Amino acid sequence: MASTLFDKIWNTHEVAVTCGGASLIAIDRVFLHERTGASALGRMAQMGRKVRDPARVFAVMDHIVDTRIGRGDGTLMPGGEAFITETRAACKAAGIRLFDVNDREQGIVHVISPEQGIVLPGVTLVAPDSHTCTQGAFGALAWGIGSSEAEHAMVTGTLRLKRPRSMRVTFEGALAPGVTPKDMILTLIATHGAGGGAGHVVEFAGEAIATLDMEGRMTVCNMATEFSAMTGLVAPDDKTFDYLVGRPFAPVDFEAPYWRDLASDPGAAFDKEIVIDASSIAPMVSWGTSPEHTIKVTQRVPKGTRGAHDYIGLAPETPIAGVPVDAAFIGSCTNARLSDLRRAANILKGRRIAPSIRTALAVPGSLSVKRAAEHEGLDRVFEAAGFEWRMSGCSLCFYAGGEGFPEGSRVISSTNRNFEGRQGPGIRTHIASPETVAASAIAGAIADPRDYLDNDRVAA
């Protein structure tokens, strides 16, 4: 019987089926961060429970670390230092590999896990973070959990789950110049709604997906959770294996038949299918309080709920292009990898952000990305344009208290959520690609990045 990629991973990890119909699934990797890591490990210690296999558990300081140059344990978040020091002590006691504040390999969890080869095709990987689905780009079943579930996974090596349904989203054809993976996933969510993937594992497929590099695939899978999917994944191929070979935790090669069989069989049945014409996609910008409130940069704001319009301060029929912005943010587990920074720098090179931009931040997704970008001189491009170049971390993807944008700012951001208050009280967020953020920072208003690309820049 033909099987989907999801079927193959699920079936090889299903330990048992309960009398109520739920499955007990073996968990290969657990990744913790400092906001929940210490509390999960602390509760386990209080109850006399140990990590079953410390070699399968990893932790990182990323959510509330200070991203300013020269940082230490101190954070601008009230009480943040305690999260860091307690997580460090708990990881040491449990024998867990910790990517600490200034570890050379530190970074956002969903950036460093692939960099280290911790996520692999066919594995199950969980973390107390909803954007764990990012790592499905490698053909893994990766999803976000709560801290109590993390405890269960660390102690037993399993989790109890109801089997989700399957969905395939096929992007047919090729993307037009200036259109990005971020625009692909925003188009899906805008077209089919923020709840369109509820109860499903979504496999992304088609010519446009196959053409993407691994970093682009990660961007697409990252926002599967904004589609309400349990997770998203892409079948591994030579690009996947080439990316992983030589990584610290990866195998020496991927020649065994197992790796090559990790794909949906011809004729495999999905519970739902969606097909999108990739050539019809344009640069996208959000306008309201959900990623489904997203339109092409050439369009006008549609009529939505009163709350969405009140929050964003834009009336129906307002052209989204030309709306003034006060701040720009390039970062997050969605769009802070080297290719993202390269493309944004390509637009910024030789230009300056508008005088009206009060804050502009570029936050690499990991210290490895930061070093690579600096080796290419990208930091100098960002700084010359007027951006502040930072250390790696989640930064202002979300507001944790302490550091924030100037009061009342309208922010153009390469992050994944435009919920009310996501980037701080009174902050209005428009999510978009790094290219759109860069173009808008130059213009001082939401702008079409295609207007800032010329043949020389595209070629570079």
Side-chain angles (χ1 to χ4, degrees):
M1 183 175 179
S3 299
T4 67
L5 171 58
F6 162 65
D7 291 332
K8 294 177 181 181
I9 300 173
W10 183 276
N11 293 341
T12 57
H13 287 79
E14 190 174 58
V15 177
V17 179
T18 69
C19 57
S23 296
L24 197 63
I25 299 297
I27 304 301
D28 298 316
R29 309 279 192 275
V30 180
F31 227 123
L32 306 174
H33 57 76
E34 78 277 27
R35 287 198 84 189
T36 57
S39 59
L41 292 169
R43 283 191 296 270
M44 287 168 54
Q46 289 170 8
M47 300 178 76
R49 294 170 176 164
K50 294 184 178 180
V51 177
R52 181 183 181 90
D53 186 355
R56 294 173 179 259
V57 182
F58 303 84
V60 65
M61 308 291 197
D62 65 348
H63 272 58
I64 58 174
V65 293
D66 191 347
T67 58
R68 294 173 299 176
I69 302 299
R71 70 182 176 197
D73 289 352
T75 74
L76 294 175
M77 173 187 168
E81 186 170 350
F83 283 94
I84 290 172
T85 57
E86 290 171 12
T87 297
R88 182 180 295 131
C91 288
K92 182 177 181 181
I96 292 170
R97 170 65 166 101
L98 170 66
F99 297 90
D100 212 334
V101 175
N102 286 314
D103 188 306
R104 278 182 57 84
E105 312 305 334
Q106 181 272 345
I108 302 171
V109 54
H110 316 307
V111 177
I112 68 168
S113 178
E115 286 179 347
Q116 294 297 306
I118 293 169
V119 64
L120 296 172
V123 305
T124 54
L125 184 151
V126 295
D129 185 288
S130 58
H131 293 102
T132 304
C133 52
T134 307
Q135 301 179 59
F138 291 84
L141 189 62
W143 71 97
I145 58 173
S147 59
S148 60
E149 290 176 299
E151 295 174 43
H152 192 282
M154 286 189 284
V155 173
T156 70
T158 63
L159 282 176
R160 183 177 179 273
L161 295 167
K162 181 180 178 181
R163 187 179 186 124
R165 297 185 296 277
S166 63
M167 179 189 298
R168 179 164 57 190
V169 175
T170 303
F171 288 90
E172 293 185 338
L175 296 175
V179 180
T180 73
K182 182 71 159 285
D183 302 316
M184 295 171 68
I185 190 63
L186 285 174
T187 295
L188 171 67
I189 298 168
T191 304
H192 295 276
H200 291 79
V201 167
V202 178
E203 179 175 342
F204 296 105
E207 179 187 347
I209 292 291
T211 302
L212 296 179
D213 60 19
M214 293 310 302
E215 298 192 349
R217 296 178 189 182
M218 282 187 261
T219 294
V220 172
C221 288
N222 174 271
M223 293 189 68
T225 188
E226 317 309 338
F227 191 45
S228 296
M230 172 189 167
T231 190
L233 44 74
V234 177
D237 57 13
D238 285 339
K239 289 182 181 180
T240 314
F241 303 131
D242 290 345
Y243 178 99
L244 289 169
V245 166
R247 306 279 176 178
F249 292 90
V252 294
D253 65 58
F254 292 89
E255 298 305 319
Y258 167 76
W259 302 110
R260 304 291 169 168
D261 188 50
L262 287 169
S264 293
D265 297 329
F270 291 81
D271 294 305
K272 186 174 182 179
E273 296 256 18
I274 292 174
V275 178
I276 294 175
D277 177 7
S279 67
S280 69
I281 300 173
M284 304 289 284
V285 183
S286 72
W287 64 267
T289 56
S290 163
E292 75 177 13
H293 296 154
T294 301
I295 55 178
K296 295 179 180 180
V297 71
T298 54
Q299 293 180 320
R300 295 173 180 266
V301 174
K303 185 176 181 179
T305 64
R306 179 175 178 179
H309 287 292
D310 287 348
Y311 158 69
I312 207 65
L314 297 175
E317 296 302 317
T318 302
I320 196 70
V323 172
V325 292
D326 309 295
F329 182 84
I330 295 176
S332 82
C333 58
T334 316
N335 282 129
R337 296 173 182 85
L338 185 58
S339 60
D340 298 313
L341 299 177
R342 283 172 177 159
R343 295 195 311 269
N346 196 42
I347 287 176
L348 292 169
K349 190 173 183 179
R351 297 177 169 126
R352 287 281 301 176
I353 63 174
S356 58
I357 299 294
R358 295 185 282 174
T359 301
L361 301 179
V363 186
S366 71
L367 291 184
S368 294
V369 169
K370 181 175 182 289
R371 288 192 300 274
E374 290 170 350
H375 179 73
E376 295 182 13
L378 302 185
D379 58 322
R380 296 191 294 276
V381 173
F382 279 101
E383 290 176 335
F387 273 75
E388 183 180 346
W389 183 249
R390 290 288 191 98
M391 302 281 280
S392 62
C394 295
S395 188
L396 283 171
C397 173
F398 71 99
Y399 179 74
E403 184 175 28
F405 292 106
E407 184 177 354
S409 292
R410 184 182 295 275
V411 183
I412 185 77
S413 177
S414 74
T415 52
N416 42 52
R417 288 180 173 161
N418 55 323
F419 305 156
E420 187 169 355
R422 171 72 176 182
Q423 291 188 298
I427 302 302
R428 293 166 169 166
T429 300
H430 297 271
I431 54 175
S433 70
E435 291 93 322
T436 300
V437 174
S440 302
I442 294 165
I446 295 175
D448 190 331
R450 294 171 296 188
D451 295 339
Y452 290 80
L453 293 174
D454 55 51
N455 291 334
D456 291 338
R457 290 173 183 271
V458 172

